Every structure is written in structure tokens, then in C-alpha cells.
Amino acid sequence: MEELYAKFVSEKISKTRWRPVPPGSLQTAETFATGSWDNEENHVSLWSIGDFGNPDSDGSLEGDHRLLCDIKHHGDVMDLQFFDQERIVAASSTGCVTIFLHHPNNQTLSVSQQWTTAHYHTGPGSPSYCSAPCTGVVCDNPEIVTVGEDGRINLFRADHKEAVRTIVWEVHFHPSNPDHLFTCSEDGSLWHWDASTDVPEKSSLFHQGGRTSTFLSHGINHQANAHQSLTSSWLSTDPAKDRIEITSLLPSRTLSVNTLDVLGPCLVCGTDAEAIYVTRQLFS
């Protein structure tokens, strides 16, 4: 195994990514990016490793990776991906998504594009507006897809100021029974996710009363321990609770289902089909 080189950088590192080599190139990776988190001031940085073990002009070893440049980043870096050879996409805990451009001539980074409210819990400008962390990003030039804690999946293009498309519009836990989750989406779906422990044994897919239900199960052990009654079904690692029933609440797909709310046995949702759907028998 080659010698392992370490450099102490005085900040917590949340993400590291190698810069991709040009297609067809035989060279090995030499440059990588890092993002930091949980610091008073966070950064996105570019580093070069040079030739490991070979002495440079002053006689020191070049294996000690060198900082090429860095730039301040607002919030924690939740994800980091190279968009191409010169651009890096960073996802922030503030809900912002930023494209940074590397200038190799003077070794600096600058902001090339930024979507400051890519992820949020309510509409920008409303009194209850609250940003939601952007938790993941994937790039396929010219497109960028992001996902956040607001339940949204956004499709961006580097040359567009707004999202090209947004998917999974709202996500609501039942206010008094959090084992039940409700989601609506741009594709016209309205789903009820049931992670309660009393989900019955049924076939994997069936139709009943105009509803379609699917069961997700990753284990066959259905013996529950007493202490797990205090643990959320969504967080439990016990196979007995790793079983979810997903029910489509609409009889057929419609245009985008934009909003929903649930209280007790009642649910209401609104759609782009200019229709409002209401049920008062969620659990019947």
C-alpha cells in the first residue's frame, strides 16, 4: 500500500470529490474538491496532489496536497459534484444550490450561477417562509437534479435562472399518528404511506375500492420488542417495523396535485385539473 499523506486543514470536511479526467485521457486524477460544514465560516476548496513522493524545486515532497483556491460558502456543504472540468455544484443546508467556476489562470473560484431558494418549506415571501436543506445533487451536463428536506426534486439547467421542473409537491405526517405519511406530486399522484406496526399480511399488489396498494418489506421477522413502541417506525431498523403499505388515494391519475392537508380522518387536496378532492374516511 502506498504511503498515506495527511494535511490538517482546521475545518470539518463534509464532502470530497475528484475532478474527472478528460474522456479518453490516460492521466490519473490530480485535483479534488472539498466542502466543509459545522464551522463559523465554510468553504468550497480545490486541491492538487501533484506527483507523490517526487521532490519539488525546494527539495520538499510534493505528496503533501496543496490548496489551489477556495471560496466562502453560506451554510454547510451538504453535497458536492463536478459539473464539468471547470465547474463545481454545491448543495447547501440553507436550501441554496450554487455553481462555482474555477479560473485556472489565476487560481480562483467565483459564483457562476446560484438558485438561492431551490428548497424551502413554504413559498418565498410568505410570513412562514423557511428554507429547507438541499441534501443531494447529481449532474449530467447541462442538467442538475437536486433533492431536499422539503420533499422536492428539482431539475435545473446551468443557463436557466429558474427550475425547469419540480416533482413530490408536499409531504405531511399525520398530526396525531406520525406512522402515516401523505404525499402529493406533479405527476398527479396522492399517496398514503402507512408504516404502522399493524399492517396486515396481504399480497404484494392488489386493487380494492378504486385504490391501489403496494407493500414494501425488507424482512420476514415480524416479532416486535416492547421497547420499540417508543421508536418511530420511520427510524427503526427492526425488520418487524420495516414494512410500508403505499396506497394511491385517487381513483385515477390527474394533472398535478399541488397541495394537501390532513386532520384526523379527513384529507383535502387541490389539483391543476381545477378539482378539489375531499375524504373524511382515511382509515376506514
Side-chain angles (χ1 to χ4, degrees), residues 181-248:
L181 180 72
F182 299 86
T183 64
C184 63
S185 175
E186 186 180 23
D187 65 0
S189 62
L190 177 66
W191 287 357
H192 171 198
W193 303 68
D194 182 359
S196 58
T197 58
D198 57 350
V199 174
E201 292 289 341
K202 299 177 182 176
S203 59
S204 61
L205 184 67
F206 73 99
H207 300 272
Q208 180 180 1
R211 299 183 177 187
T212 302
S213 298
T214 303
F215 290 87
L216 301 182
S217 178
H218 304 291
I220 58 175
N221 178 13
H222 297 282
Q223 295 182 354
N225 294 325
H227 72 278
Q228 289 172 333
S229 61
L230 302 177
T231 304
S232 168
S233 298
W234 304 103
L235 303 178
S236 173
T237 58
D238 190 329
K241 291 194 174 185
D242 195 14
R243 182 176 176 85
I244 302 173
E245 178 188 8
I246 306 172
T247 303
S248 175

Side-chain angles (χ1 to χ4, degrees), residues 42-56:
N42 291 303
H43 298 87
V44 170
S45 308
L46 271 181
W47 302 80
S48 175
I49 60 172
D51 295 326
F52 276 106
N54 294 331
D56 58 18

Side-chain angles (χ1 to χ4, degrees), residues 115-136:
W115 299 276
T116 56
T117 56
H119 293 278
Y120 54 90
H121 288 298
T122 57
S126 68
S128 59
Y129 168 71
C130 179
S131 63
C134 177
T135 55

Side-chain angles (χ1 to χ4, degrees), residues 37 76-79 91-97 117-122 130-137 145-154 156 166-173 181-183 235:
W37 79 292
D76 295 339
V77 177
M78 304 293 286
D79 201 0
S92 173
S93 59
T94 66
C96 180
V97 178
T117 56
H119 293 278
Y120 54 90
H121 288 298
T122 57
C130 179
S131 63
C134 177
T135 55
V137 60
V145 176
T146 68
V147 64
E149 290 187 5
D150 55 352
R152 291 178 174 87
I153 300 174
N154 291 322
F156 294 102
T166 298
I167 303 172
V168 192
W169 283 114
E170 287 188 358
V171 178
H172 288 261
F173 284 100
L181 180 72
F182 299 86
T183 64
L235 303 178

Side-chain angles (χ1 to χ4, degrees), residues 80-114:
L80 196 66
Q81 298 291 338
F82 273 92
F83 188 66
D84 53 26
Q85 291 286 310
E86 288 79 32
R87 289 176 290 182
I88 310 167
V89 182
S92 173
S93 59
T94 66
C96 180
V97 178
T98 306
I99 301 179
F100 294 104
L101 176 64
H102 177 220
H103 305 274
N105 292 335
N106 56 4
Q107 293 299 352
T108 58
L109 286 168
S110 65
V111 175
S112 171
Q113 177 66 284
Q114 191 170 62

Side-chain angles (χ1 to χ4, degrees), residues 8-78:
F8 295 95
V9 296
S10 301
E11 61 180 6
K12 298 178 181 179
I13 302 300
S14 58
K15 297 294 176 182
T16 60
R17 297 289 186 264
W18 287 107
R19 184 169 70 182
V21 297
S25 174
L26 298 179
Q27 71 184 72
T28 58
E30 295 182 348
T31 305
F32 63 92
T34 62
S36 66
W37 79 292
D38 196 27
N39 304 294
E40 292 185 3
E41 189 175 273
N42 291 303
H43 298 87
V44 170
S45 308
L46 271 181
W47 302 80
S48 175
I49 60 172
D51 295 326
F52 276 106
N54 294 331
D56 58 18
S57 57
D58 62 4
S60 61
L61 295 180
E62 293 185 357
D64 191 18
H65 29 287
R66 298 179 294 109
L67 177 65
L68 296 178
C69 53
D70 61 9
I71 190 170
K72 293 180 182 179
H73 181 271
H74 185 49
D76 295 339
V77 177
M78 304 293 286

